[in-house]
């Protein structure tokens, strides 16, 4: 049986990659949706040679979601229209009411951590509501789960993502990450909750084949989820960064102005900041990277540490946050579905599955002791 998969924001930065990947699956019929009819039509024409002819429909989730869901009758809905910071669960609730599984790419801490409020309803309908099907917490949890057997106790996790281009984020994702710039949030340090500020504490990490990249504090769902999932953790730190160091330093300074109350926020300047960044895309090397440093006690009780890298070239880094939704949708379309209920995307996608989904891209992985 062919599963009908509705993709909200199907032509967007991440939505387009998800749509194209799923359109190639003979077990899936993609339903393209978004607010622009011209963009929906253009993507549908591009995918005319797909095993199952795609359909498209205009959709504004703030106006006609229930009506479109009733008309299209999707088996699975993928919500890619962020930012999720400040969003409620109206889309997920509408999907449950329509009898559709739900997946999103949310990276909003409160949004992902709070999805459990829909758990009982999802279970009563035998449906899955999966949030955070993206780099965090899906990839980060998959890396820890993969290496967990090598440790007696993982005590510290230090990791980060450096993008090739600021514009690779897309305007919605950029607005999301800027929403907490200069704002206070908590993370686990030395076994206790400690307050830090978004896009502050500038530091540097040397990525193999990429070089030195600047990173700053970012608020992600992992900071709320991992201490409960990995009981031995005493420290967790996540940073994100841009390819050009001067952009990172400028962003860090702007976040400092928010922290001091000189600016109210940065997310209202998202479009302007992306316009400023656009001319410099021509100087990008197209390389991005993810690293995760795990440390603690090995199986023999002795100190142990290792670092995992995911390294992308030719601007293929944008596939890293896109592919978990593809994998989850394919699993929901199969006979071995993820459990019913509402939960973050952890323990659903293995690192092996993740890497396999990226194998046709200019993306490699490496390990270091």
């Amino acid at each position: 049986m062919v599963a009908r998969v509705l993709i909200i924001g199907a032509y967007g930065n991440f939505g387009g990659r998800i749509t194209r990947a799923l359109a190639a699956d003979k077990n899936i019929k993609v339903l393209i949706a978004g607010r622009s009819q011209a963009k929906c039509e253009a993507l549908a024409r591009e995918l005319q040679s797909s095993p199952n002819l795609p359909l498209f429909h205009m959709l504004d989730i703030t106006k006609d979601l229930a009506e479109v869901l009733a008309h299209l009758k999707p088996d699975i809905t993928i919500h890619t229209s962020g930012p999720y910071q400040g969003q409620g669960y109206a889309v997920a609730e509408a999907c449950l009411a329509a009898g559709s599984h739900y997946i999103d790419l949310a990276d909003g801490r409160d949004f992902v951590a709070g999805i459990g409020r829909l758990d009982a309803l999802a279970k009563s309908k035998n449906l899955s509501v999966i949030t955070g099907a993206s780099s965090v917490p899906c990839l980060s949890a998959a890396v820890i789960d993969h290496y967990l057997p090598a440790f007696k106790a993982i005590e510290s996790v230090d990791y980060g993502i450096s993008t090739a281009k600021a514009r690779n984020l897309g305007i919605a994702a950029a607005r999301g990450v800027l929403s907490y710039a200069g704002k206070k949030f908590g993370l686990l340090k030395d076994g206790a909750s400690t307050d830090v500020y978004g896009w502050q504490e500038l530091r540097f990490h040397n990525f193999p084949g990429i070089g030195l990249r600047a990173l700053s504090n970012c608020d992600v769902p992992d900071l709320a989820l991992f201490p409960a999932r990995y009981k031995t953790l005493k420290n967790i730190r996540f940073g994100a960064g841009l390819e050009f160091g001067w952009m990172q330093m400028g962003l860090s300074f702007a976040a400092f102005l928010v922290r001091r109350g000189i600016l109210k926020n940065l997310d209202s300047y998202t479009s302007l900041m992306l316009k400023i960044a656009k001319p410099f895309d021509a100087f990008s090397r197209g390389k991005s990277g993810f690293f995760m440093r795990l440390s603690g006690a090995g199986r023999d009780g002795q100190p142990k540490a290792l670092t995992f890298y995911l390294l992308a070239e030719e601007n293929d880094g944008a596939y890293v946050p896109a592919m978990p939704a593809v994998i989850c949708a394919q699993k929901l379309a199969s006979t071995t579905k993820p459990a019913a209920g509402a939960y973050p995307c952890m323990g659903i996608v293995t690192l092996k599955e993740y890497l396999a989904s990226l194998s046709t891209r200019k993306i490699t992985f490496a390990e270091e002791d």
Side-chain angles (χ1 to χ4, degrees):
M1 180 178 175
V2 175
R4 295 167 63 85
V5 181
L6 172 65
I7 305 167
I8 300 173
Y11 47 75
N13 188 43
F14 300 129
R17 289 172 168 81
I18 292 168
T19 303
R20 292 178 179 91
L22 289 176
D25 191 324
K26 65 180 181 180
N27 297 314
I28 288 174
K29 183 181 185 69
V30 295
L31 310 174
I32 297 166
R35 289 181 294 181
S36 169
Q37 181 171 342
K39 291 180 180 180
C40 285
E41 289 179 345
L43 186 54
R45 284 195 301 270
E46 176 190 332
L47 300 175
Q48 288 297 299
S49 61
S50 301
N52 299 298
L53 192 65
L55 298 176
F56 70 89
H57 201 290
M58 287 185 64
L59 169 63
D60 184 334
I61 59 174
T62 65
K63 297 178 180 178
D64 52 7
L65 178 58
E67 178 183 338
V68 172
L69 287 171
H71 174 67
L72 295 178
K73 295 180 172 59
D75 300 298
I76 304 161
T77 300
I78 302 177
H79 176 24
T80 75
S81 297
Y84 301 91
Q85 289 84 351
Q87 268 197 49
Y89 300 113
V91 177
E93 290 169 336
C95 289
L96 289 175
S100 170
H101 297 290
Y102 167 92
I103 303 166
D104 68 43
L105 282 65
D107 59 354
R109 179 175 181 163
D110 293 338
F111 185 97
V112 176
I115 199 67
R117 70 186 64 179
L118 299 180
D119 188 58
L121 179 59
K123 286 178 177 175
S124 72
K125 294 178 175 291
N126 196 32
L127 294 171
S128 298
V129 171
I130 302 172
T131 185
S134 193
S135 305
V136 290
C138 183
L139 173 59
S140 46
V143 173
I144 297 176
D145 291 346
H146 180 79
Y147 290 105
L148 200 56
F151 287 84
K152 183 177 181 179
I154 293 179
E155 297 175 355
S156 296
V157 178
D158 187 6
Y159 59 120
I161 297 173
S162 178
T163 63
K165 299 178 182 178
R167 290 183 63 83
N168 273 353
L169 286 172
I171 189 166
R175 185 175 291 118
V177 299
L178 289 176
S179 67
Y180 49 79
K183 305 293 179 66
K184 183 167 60 177
F185 59 87
L187 54 74
L188 189 66
K189 184 176 181 180
D190 297 328
S193 180
T194 302
D195 288 335
V196 296
Y197 292 84
W199 293 97
Q200 297 285 271
E201 296 185 25
L202 194 69
R203 59 189 184 276
F204 294 87
H205 187 83
N206 191 26
F207 290 83
I210 295 178
L212 206 62
R213 291 283 182 91
L215 302 169
S216 302
N217 291 334
C218 280
D219 193 13
V220 291
D222 308 23
L223 303 180
L225 299 172
F226 284 4
R229 182 174 175 83
Y230 307 106
K231 303 292 187 182
T232 59
L233 268 185
K234 296 179 181 177
N235 298 280
I236 178 170
R237 182 174 68 162
F238 174 79
L242 306 173
E243 179 174 6
F244 302 115
W246 66 267
M247 283 189 181
Q248 186 80 11
M249 288 185 277
L251 179 54
S252 183
F253 177 71
F256 176 77
L257 297 181
V258 174
R259 178 178 175 180
R260 291 301 185 189
I262 298 171
L263 293 177
K264 185 177 180 181
N265 58 57
L266 290 188
D267 46 313
S268 57
Y269 298 95
T270 302
S271 295
L272 174 62
M273 295 176 78
L274 289 178
K275 286 179 182 178
I276 293 172
K278 184 178 180 179
F280 298 94
D281 285 353
F283 301 98
S284 172
R285 293 190 297 150
K287 296 184 177 183
S288 57
F290 167 94
F291 84 95
M292 177 174 275
R293 180 72 171 172
L294 304 173
S295 57
R299 301 308 303 177
D300 58 1
Q302 297 300 308
K304 181 178 179 63
L306 60 84
T307 306
F308 171 85
Y309 287 98
L310 201 60
L311 308 165
E313 299 183 53
E314 298 182 11
N315 293 309
D316 274 357
Y319 284 98
V320 176
M323 294 313 292
V326 173
I327 299 170
C328 288
Q330 290 172 329
K331 289 191 174 192
L332 286 169
S334 72
T335 56
T336 55
K337 294 178 174 60
Y343 43 82
C345 191
M346 300 185 296
I348 303 171
V349 179
T350 67
L351 183 59
K352 183 178 180 180
E353 290 171 330
Y354 211 127
L355 296 178
S357 75
L358 299 169
S359 62
T360 60
R361 307 299 171 186
K362 290 288 186 178
I363 297 175
T364 57
F365 72 96
E367 301 173 2
E368 289 182 358
D369 293 332

